[in-house]
Amino acid sequence: MTMKRTIASAMTLAIVGLGQAILPATPGWAQTMRVSSGRAQDTLAVAMNRAVVVETDTPFVELSIANPGIADISTLSDRSIYVLGKAPGRTTLTILGANGELIANVEVQVTPDVAEFRERLRQILPSEPIEVRTANDGIVLSGIVSSGARLDAALQLAERYAPGRVSNLMSVGGTQQVMLRVRFSEVQRSAAQSLAASLSASHGRSQVGTGRFGTQALGTAGLTIPALENSTESQGVITGGFSIGAVQFQVLLEAMESNGLARTLSEPSLTALSGQEAHFLAGGEVPVPVIGDSGSVTIDYRPFGVELTFTPRVVDGDVINLSLDAAVSSLDSSNSVTTGGVSVPAFRVRQTSTTVEMRDGESFAIAGLLQDDFQGSIGQVPWLGDIPVLGALFRSSDYQRSQSELMIFVTAHLVSPTRGEALLLPTDRVRLPNESELFLNGQLTGGTSGASEVARQDFRGGYGYVME
């Protein structure tokens, strides 16, 4: 028996020595903890799936573990105990002597295996100074990482070792504020042409007429110019008349041509922190009556103008991920709806919603629209309008064409705060005039101002594109 105990003790010492020598690099070997009689309680830290050998200075006869699901125990000898961590948590190991006396109560704390986690973290993110600690049954990560993507990668890896028990104290270094500049550019051009001819004849009080205009009674002393029905313009109208005996004839030729151009340019800029939503609205709100189920009327305000909502995320270095909603809306009274005696205008909206990824200073064209509408009509008197040459007097034609082109560009910049003295406001260059500048010279601004610079610009020339 003595020889067997001596051999067992020698084997235990050999295992302990090997465990102390190679534990930091090789999992599965046990550390040691020595427990002396008379100490009521000791604390033992065990990593999950790792083991610690507990040695007592006196032989023990009985062992018990409060929660076998957290740690498992086995005896190596009457003085050595093998404790294996199974699940994160705390439990108590009780060691009793030969006469039932208490040798020690050991508090066993099983923590996640941060040694293996540190090794995997160094392999995946070798350049990130992330510190790993244990707290109770969880993992605490701290340090400054270079990007949000690497922060997420570290958190996902930590969840593998301590699911639901990871505390994030890391922060992202570098610039994490994004300024977004959006440019709405729209050009609308319209053209319309019409050509109509009308002929009327009268004899006494009877009158016969053709064309798009209304007829009036013609007096016997002279001719009366007919009143136009469908046109509120008087440009391009030529009238004339003649008489043959008692019959009077009147001819009206109407030619109309119109061109229109509209140019819209909006450049809102907005700055937000990475991961935070920002909203911008330059316009107004229109009250819209809403009828409820009980017939009651409430007022709902609908915004219009230039609207921008975006969420930036600095992914890695200077790579920016943008979730963007942009819209330009205006009131459209031509499509208004009247309800309960109240006229509610319609809205003309150009809107886009997308997600893009770009680097600092780069630009994207996120939306574009080229629209070409054409409408034409020809009206004539049956048979008479088909007569060569003279048929033009019994025929009218018109057409309308409209083209619009819309482009939306976005540019993202990583920005940092600056000193207020370096900023220039639009009002800084506008100086109020003194009495002599205002009354004698008729100046609304004094000295060199932003308004005078705009006044010197030449807006003459072609804009948009030319319609053929």
Side-chain angles (χ1 to χ4, degrees):
M1 179 65 69
T2 304
M3 181 61 69
K4 292 181 179 180
R5 181 173 296 178
T6 302
I7 294 174
S9 300
M11 292 178 62
T12 301
L13 292 175
I15 292 174
V16 170
L18 288 173
Q20 292 175 339
I22 63 176
L23 177 63
T26 305
W29 294 99
Q31 293 178 323
T32 59
M33 174 183 178
R34 299 187 181 277
V35 177
S36 301
S37 300
R39 289 191 297 178
Q41 187 172 359
D42 292 281
T43 302
L44 173 64
V46 185
M48 191 172 59
N49 298 325
R50 290 181 178 267
V52 173
V53 174
V54 178
E55 294 185 344
T56 62
D57 57 353
T58 58
F60 58 85
V61 296
E62 186 177 352
L63 300 174
S64 64
I65 189 78
N67 189 347
I70 295 178
D72 194 9
I73 58 174
S74 61
T75 58
L76 299 176
S77 67
D78 59 353
R79 295 174 183 264
S80 301
I81 309 164
Y82 189 82
V83 182
L84 174 65
K86 298 175 65 177
R90 289 176 177 267
T91 187
T92 303
L93 170 63
T94 303
I95 306 174
L96 300 177
N99 299 324
E101 73 275 8
L102 178 65
I103 296 178
N105 267 335
V106 181
E107 182 180 353
V108 181
Q109 179 181 357
V110 180
T111 60
D113 188 4
V114 295
E116 182 182 356
F117 172 60
R118 286 193 184 100
E119 183 179 353
R120 297 292 179 267
L121 198 60
R122 285 195 298 268
Q123 293 174 355
I124 298 175
L125 303 172
S127 60
E128 301 297 332
I130 301 176
E131 298 182 3
V132 181
R133 298 182 178 87
T134 59
N136 198 0
D137 59 346
I139 295 178
V140 179
L141 303 179
S142 60
I144 300 177
V145 295
S146 59
S147 67
R150 299 188 178 185
L151 184 145
D152 293 337
L155 291 178
Q156 293 178 8
L157 182 61
E159 286 289 335
R160 294 283 185 177
Y161 291 87
R165 300 185 304 276
V166 179
S167 298
N168 177 25
L169 300 181
M170 296 181 293
S171 59
V172 180
T175 302
Q176 294 298 307
Q177 295 183 113
V178 179
M179 183 186 74
L180 187 67
R181 180 186 178 191
V182 181
R183 288 178 289 172
F184 299 88
S185 179
E186 183 178 21
V187 175
Q188 299 178 358
R189 182 154 183 158
S190 62
Q193 289 183 353
S194 64
L195 178 63
S198 303
L199 176 64
S200 65
S202 64
H203 182 273
R205 295 187 176 182
S206 61
Q207 180 176 352
V208 179
T210 64
R212 294 189 302 170
F213 54 89
T215 60
Q216 296 179 352
L218 299 178
T220 59
L223 298 177
T224 304
I225 298 177
L228 298 178
E229 287 183 350
N230 297 329
S231 176
T232 58
E233 301 287 343
S234 59
Q235 295 89 345
V237 178
I238 302 176
T239 62
F242 61 93
S243 61
I244 301 177
V247 180
Q248 296 179 346
F249 296 90
Q250 184 175 5
V251 179
L252 181 144
L253 295 178
E254 179 186 4
M256 186 68 64
E257 180 178 4
S258 64
N259 292 278
L261 174 67
R263 173 180 179 267
T264 302
L265 177 63
S266 301
E267 296 188 12
S269 298
L270 194 59
T271 303
L273 187 66
S274 176
Q276 301 297 318
E277 182 181 279
H279 182 75
F280 176 90
L281 174 63
E285 292 184 340
V286 177
V288 177
V290 178
I291 302 177
D293 297 335
S294 61
S296 61
V297 179
T298 60
I299 300 299
D300 186 17
Y301 288 88
R302 304 292 176 85
F304 71 95
V306 179
E307 191 170 5
L308 173 64
T309 301
F310 81 104
T311 303
R313 291 180 178 86
V314 181
V315 180
D316 190 5
D318 60 347
V319 179
I320 305 169
N321 181 281
L322 287 175
S323 297
L324 177 68
D325 293 327
V328 177
S329 58
S330 58
L331 300 180
D332 186 3
S333 58
S334 61
N335 295 319
S336 61
V337 177
T338 302
T339 174
V342 179
S343 179
V344 180
F347 292 90
R348 183 172 180 268
V349 182
R350 286 81 76 201
Q351 184 176 8
T352 181
S353 177
T354 184
T355 300
V356 296
E357 192 169 274
M358 63 184 70
R359 294 187 178 274
D360 178 24
E362 293 182 340
S363 298
F364 253 126
I366 63 170
L369 173 65
L370 180 61
Q371 186 173 355
D372 190 347
D373 297 329
F374 176 82
Q375 294 180 355
S377 64
I378 296 178
Q380 66 179 17
V381 177
W383 302 298
L384 297 180
D386 297 328
I387 300 175
V389 182
L390 294 179
L393 298 176
F394 305 93
R395 183 171 59 244
S396 63
S397 61
D398 60 65
Y399 86 91
Q400 294 180 355
R401 185 180 183 184
S402 61
Q403 289 182 330
S404 63
E405 185 175 2
L406 170 67
M407 290 296 295
I408 302 178
F409 293 89
V410 295
T411 305
H413 295 279
L414 293 174
V415 295
S416 299
T418 185
R419 296 182 60 87
E421 295 81 358
L423 300 178
L424 181 63
L425 299 177
T427 56
D428 292 343
R429 295 182 297 175
V430 179
R431 187 174 63 84
L432 297 179
N434 53 34
E435 287 79 1
S436 61
E437 292 173 336
L438 178 61
F439 295 107
L440 297 180
N441 300 330
Q443 298 179 0
L444 296 179
T445 59
T448 302
S449 64
S452 61
E453 294 178 2
V454 173
R456 289 195 298 268
Q457 297 182 14
D458 186 8
F459 289 98
R460 293 174 297 177
Y463 289 88
Y465 44 78
V466 177
M467 289 197 321
E468 298 295 335

